[in-house]
Amino acid sequence: MDQALASIAVAHVAANLPKPSTVGARRVLKGNEAKHRKSKDPRRRPRRATAANPPALKKMVATADTATAIGCWDIAALLLGFTLAAAAPDCGCSIGPTSRRA
């Protein structure tokens, strides 16, 4: 929430507009947060994406544009991230807040 409000304030400054008051927005967001916390709706639970597997990684790499620097950067980031995630269990590293070392 703070990041979203900060980005709005920065956008206003960049556009030479006065910074907006965030008091009202904070109240609305806090109220929504409290309402959703009390809700038993399963759609309100945080979701995690499933881990990428080699066929999914191949599809992601195939869609990147290798003719541009950004496309090459995307491929490098995908491959590095996949390699580090695959190597983490072997080196005893924990990745993420839910990982636990034995």
Side-chain angles (χ1 to χ4, degrees), residues 2 4 10 12 22 31-32 35-36 38 49 60 67 70-71 79-80 83 87 92 94 99-100:
D2 288 331
V10 168
H12 275 73
T22 59
N32 285 343
K35 182 177 78 173
H36 293 314
K38 292 178 186 175
M60 289 186 269
I70 292 175
L79 295 176
L80 180 63
T83 303
S94 64
S99 298
R100 289 190 172 85

